[in-house]
Amino acid sequence: MVSQGSSPSLLEALSSDFLACKICLEQLRVPKTLPCLHTYCQDCLAQLAEGSHLRCPECRETVPVPPTGVAAFKTNFFVNGLLDLVKARAGGDLRAGKPACALCPLMGGASAGGPATARCLDCADDLCQACADGHRCTRQTHSHRVVDLVGYRAGWYDEEARERQAAQCPQHPGESLRFLCQPCSQLLCRECRLDPHLDHPCLPLAEAVRARRPGLEGLLAGVDSNLAELEATQLAEEEALACLREQAAKVGTQVEEAAEGVLRALLAQKQEVLGQLRAHVEAAEEAARERLGELESRAQVAREAAAFARRVLSLGREAEILSLEGAIAQRLQQLQCCPWMPGPAPCLLPQLELHPGLLDKNRQLLRLSFQEQQPQKDRGKDGARSQGGAATPPQSRDGAQTPKQDSVQPPQEDGAQTLKAERAETPQEDGAQTPKEGRAQTPQEDGGAQSPRGGRSNKKRKFKGRLKSVSREPSPAPGPNLEGSGLLPRPIFFCSFPTRMPGDKRSPRITGLCPFGSREILVADEQNRALKRFSLNGDYKGAVPIPEGCSPCSVATLQDAVAFSAGARLYLIRPNGEVQWRRALSLCQASHAVAAMPSGDRVAVSVSGHVEVYNMEGSLATRFIPGGKASRGLRALVFLTTSPQGNFVGSDWQQGSLVVCDGLGQVIGEYRGPGLHGCQPGSVSVDKKGYIFLTLREVNKVVILDPKGSLLGDFLTAYHGLEKPRVTTMVDGRYLVVSLSNGTIHVFRVRPPDS
């Protein structure tokens, strides 16, 4: 595209689509210019005309049609001149393959004329060598410019031909336009000058152009100024949209953290209340068991005494009864006077009391507030104030403080507080506290002893603080494991586009991505068996031909070559589809990851737990196992990439970890911690500073790790539009390209920490 300050060249006008009609998509025929300065064929405009008006196909402006029809629109002599130049360059005897001389038939020579070798720019005629020599020797044509025909056809003399080219009068064939009628603003030839415009003041074309050029240049400068303002406004709109997306992602993270915090507090209170309930029931059961045992023993004693008395009364003789009568009476009286429990002991039945906010369906625990975006200068001043001292909430015009822009505002209606705070402030009825309550209400002193559970909660708080330090909002203090200032690369949404093309028979299944030239990517569509080229803006650039029957899986770009795996083979092809070599790989692995070395002259491929590196000639350069021979049979690298520092980064599905090793297989770092959320590590990419971006498909996240494989935090989440991300790649070291399972591609610009 031509910039505002530069003038377009003739070569650009001839080689671009400037001479093509935007309606029929062919070369302009009888070009007519509308008042909006868009030019089309006269026949095409006639088809678009609807009564007394037509609508421009490009700018959609309604244009009135002259009473005499579309032929009355201004003829574009500028386009006509360029078309004449193009036709002259492409003219000649097509059957013979060479143009014929235009003067030989007029001088009595051969009927068809000899082969032309030169061209007169003034006469616009092709000449043979003899006629060209004679053309230079006559008095009338000795000043004409005769040039070599081959150079003319190649475009060497286009500028000079344009200078000597004369516009022809449409009413008088053979006459060139020489004058401008000032009252009529019409171009005239000599014949037109002598007929109806004889009494009108006329100017030669050169003088008329000199008089009118300053006015047109002034208007053009004004339009350029308007264009600059429009571009500035467009840039501001794009920045505002990017700011909105960034703020939305930040608020989304805040909502997620707030919801998780409420859920954690609620679950903690659930465990606490259930623990109290269990303790109460156990104490009541223990007391009941003691009472039941005592009652059982008393009942047993009474039953035995009663049974003895019944036997004596039923089986004893008179003397025996009378001899035992005193003892039996005394025992039975003793048992009757024993204090009996009239009923079960009073038991405290548990009752659940819910917070009113949990029963109110209309209560919003999370809500948004919106504030008009501040100008760029004001935001810079606010940022300087927030960095220099304590952050001051923004104030409205009347001086009252307003909520933070797009922040999550917890409701404070009816004096409601968080459940955990209210639970901590409510004393126990019996004055006793559970161990968990005692720790929650008793502050830890410096150097004081902590229980193991308290130590774990402290670790959780530290881990939560570390996650906050790598969130999208810059942290005021550097985190413990961050380099330098404690900031991390941040994503900025760039664009999104689909990869399904009209010729695709199936929905795309993207299995590989890699950069392809400057600001382009190469997409491996295994389902449609194609390697598709796209720009970072989503423009389709065509496809790289591949051998028939191949379904590309992983792909990488080398010096003027493309390497990809398909089945159990590794291919190296040229961009035109020419196969340089192919190598058979092990069948122990379903898919083989391919990565280009930073030098661009070697390609690495993962084969059943080890890495093989091939050079451009297809020879095996090196082979190693991450971790050495001790790790033989213990690795399965499903995804593989290389860093600018020359290290290898892979996703090991057998160990469930991300491994970083050097070119000799020495492991530099390996991560298999809780940051993987129990998922298998997915696709990996590395930026120019060595930061590692790991895809977690099951949880819709892309996490970021340092060059040694230590987890730093989340980089992309579902709030950035991720839905089952599949593979990623890094373009120019600063654009992260993410493909989704539905064939859509998201592009994010990676803002460096020091930006």
Side-chain angles (χ1 to χ4, degrees), residues 430-504:
D430 54 359
Q433 294 179 344
T434 62
K436 191 168 186 179
E437 287 174 335
R439 283 191 301 272
Q441 295 179 358
T442 304
Q444 295 289 344
E445 298 179 358
D446 295 340
Q450 296 179 354
S451 63
R453 184 178 295 180
R456 286 198 298 270
S457 63
N458 191 24
K459 290 180 181 179
K460 290 181 180 179
R461 288 193 294 269
K462 290 182 179 179
F463 182 70
K464 182 178 179 182
R466 186 167 71 240
L467 288 183
K468 286 184 178 179
S469 66
V470 297
S471 64
R472 294 172 183 82
E473 186 173 359
S475 174
N481 59 347
L482 303 184
E483 301 177 358
S485 62
L487 298 178
L488 287 179
R490 298 164 57 191
I492 298 177
F493 181 79
F494 185 73
C495 71
S496 177
F497 56 90
T499 58
R500 182 163 188 173
M501 294 292 105
D504 293 345

Side-chain angles (χ1 to χ4, degrees), residues 519-673:
R519 294 176 65 86
E520 284 191 17
I521 57 175
L522 195 62
V523 178
D525 186 354
E526 187 179 39
Q527 196 77 357
N528 294 291
R529 297 183 177 182
L531 291 178
K532 304 175 182 178
R533 292 174 52 193
F534 292 91
S535 69
L536 283 183
N537 296 324
D539 299 329
Y540 181 61
K541 300 292 185 178
V544 175
I546 60 175
E548 186 176 359
C550 288
S551 297
C553 178
S554 183
V555 64
T557 304
L558 282 73
Q559 297 176 353
D560 298 330
V562 176
F564 69 92
S565 61
R569 290 183 179 272
L570 176 65
Y571 292 85
L572 185 72
I573 63 175
R574 296 292 182 187
N576 58 3
E578 178 185 358
V579 179
Q580 297 297 303
W581 50 262
R582 60 172 62 89
R583 294 291 179 268
L585 304 175
S586 173
L587 296 175
C588 299
Q589 194 167 334
S591 61
H592 302 272
V594 178
M597 300 298 293
S599 57
D601 57 351
R602 289 178 296 169
V603 58
V605 58
S606 64
V607 182
S608 64
H610 63 270
V611 177
E612 297 180 355
V613 181
Y614 294 87
N615 57 21
M616 295 291 290
E617 289 75 26
S619 302
L620 182 64
T622 182
R623 176 180 178 179
F624 64 88
I625 301 175
K629 295 182 179 179
S631 301
R632 185 186 301 275
L634 302 178
R635 299 284 186 184
L637 301 181
V638 179
F639 295 94
L640 182 68
T641 189
T642 59
S643 68
Q645 294 76 22
N647 297 328
F648 292 86
V649 184
S651 297
D652 186 354
W653 279 24
Q654 188 163 342
Q655 298 294 328
S657 65
L658 178 133
V659 59
V660 183
C661 61
D662 58 14
L664 301 177
Q666 184 69 30
V667 175
I668 300 175
E670 188 168 4
Y671 181 78
R672 54 168 64 91

Side-chain angles (χ1 to χ4, degrees), residues 44-240:
C44 296
L45 289 178
Q47 297 176 3
L48 289 180
E50 299 177 357
S52 60
H53 66 279
L54 61 85
R55 178 170 292 182
C56 177
E58 293 184 67
C59 64
R60 313 304 297 171
E61 182 178 345
T62 302
V63 178
V65 178
T68 57
V70 296
F73 284 122
K74 283 186 175 295
T75 301
N76 196 327
F77 291 104
F78 172 65
V79 173
N80 273 336
L82 296 179
L83 290 174
D84 292 342
L85 185 61
V86 171
K87 293 176 182 177
R89 285 171 52 180
D93 190 350
L94 298 179
R95 290 174 298 175
K98 295 182 179 180
C101 178
L103 296 185
C104 287
L106 301 179
M107 300 175 61
S111 59
T117 59
R119 182 176 178 84
C120 177
L121 301 182
D122 295 271
C123 301
D125 289 332
D126 295 334
L127 308 175
C128 63
Q129 188 60 44
C131 293
D133 295 339
H135 205 69
R136 297 187 183 96
C137 298
T138 61
R139 178 173 297 179
Q140 293 181 348
T141 60
H142 74 280
S143 61
H144 288 195
R145 177 73 165 129
V146 180
V147 298
D148 179 55
L149 185 60
V150 176
Y152 175 77
R153 291 290 180 86
W156 298 351
Y157 307 102
D158 286 344
E159 298 287 348
E160 191 173 355
R162 279 287 295 166
E163 293 178 359
R164 297 172 178 267
Q165 190 180 42
Q168 301 297 318
C169 178
Q171 298 180 359
H172 303 93
E175 291 290 336
S176 59
L177 299 174
R178 300 168 181 251
F179 306 99
L180 173 68
C181 178
Q182 291 181 323
C184 304
S185 295
Q186 185 176 348
L187 298 177
L188 308 176
C189 66
R190 288 185 299 181
E191 297 294 334
C192 297
R193 177 75 176 83
L194 297 177
D195 290 337
H197 304 274
L198 182 61
D199 297 332
H200 295 178
C202 298
L203 292 176
L205 295 184
E207 185 177 349
V209 169
R210 283 195 301 270
R212 301 196 177 194
R213 181 185 292 271
L216 293 177
E217 290 179 347
L219 295 174
L220 182 60
V223 173
D224 289 341
S225 176
N226 292 340
L227 284 176
E229 294 179 0
L230 289 175
E231 292 178 355
T233 305
Q234 182 180 2
L235 181 60
E237 288 288 343
E238 293 175 353
E239 291 179 352

Side-chain angles (χ1 to χ4, degrees), residues 147-347:
V147 298
D148 179 55
L149 185 60
V150 176
Y152 175 77
R153 291 290 180 86
W156 298 351
Y157 307 102
D158 286 344
E159 298 287 348
E160 191 173 355
R162 279 287 295 166
E163 293 178 359
R164 297 172 178 267
Q165 190 180 42
Q168 301 297 318
C169 178
Q171 298 180 359
H172 303 93
E175 291 290 336
S176 59
L177 299 174
R178 300 168 181 251
F179 306 99
L180 173 68
C181 178
Q182 291 181 323
C184 304
S185 295
Q186 185 176 348
L187 298 177
L188 308 176
C189 66
R190 288 185 299 181
E191 297 294 334
C192 297
R193 177 75 176 83
L194 297 177
D195 290 337
H197 304 274
L198 182 61
D199 297 332
H200 295 178
C202 298
L203 292 176
L205 295 184
E207 185 177 349
V209 169
R210 283 195 301 270
R212 301 196 177 194
R213 181 185 292 271
L216 293 177
E217 290 179 347
L219 295 174
L220 182 60
V223 173
D224 289 341
S225 176
N226 292 340
L227 284 176
E229 294 179 0
L230 289 175
E231 292 178 355
T233 305
Q234 182 180 2
L235 181 60
E237 288 288 343
E238 293 175 353
E239 291 179 352
L241 182 59
C243 181
L244 174 62
R245 289 171 176 161
E246 182 179 353
Q247 184 69 13
K250 183 188 302 182
V251 172
T253 303
Q254 293 175 356
V255 171
E256 186 176 6
E257 292 177 354
E260 290 178 355
V262 172
L263 290 176
R264 283 195 297 268
L266 189 60
L267 291 175
Q269 293 186 36
K270 167 191 170 184
Q271 298 298 331
E272 184 177 352
V273 172
L274 291 178
Q276 293 177 5
L277 183 61
R278 284 193 297 269
H280 177 73
V281 172
E282 290 175 359
E285 289 178 350
E286 182 66 24
R289 280 194 297 269
E290 293 178 358
R291 292 193 300 272
L292 290 174
E294 184 179 356
L295 293 174
E296 181 64 25
S297 63
R298 292 183 180 182
Q300 183 66 24
V301 171
R303 279 193 295 268
E304 290 176 355
F308 179 77
R310 287 190 180 92
R311 287 192 186 96
V312 170
L313 291 176
S314 61
L315 301 177
R317 294 189 294 272
E318 291 83 358
E320 295 173 349
I321 295 174
L322 293 174
S323 64
L324 294 176
E325 184 265 339
I328 293 174
Q330 183 180 359
R331 181 58 177 168
L332 293 178
Q333 290 177 359
Q334 183 182 1
L335 291 177
Q336 287 181 359
C337 295
C338 181
W340 297 94
M341 294 183 180
C347 181

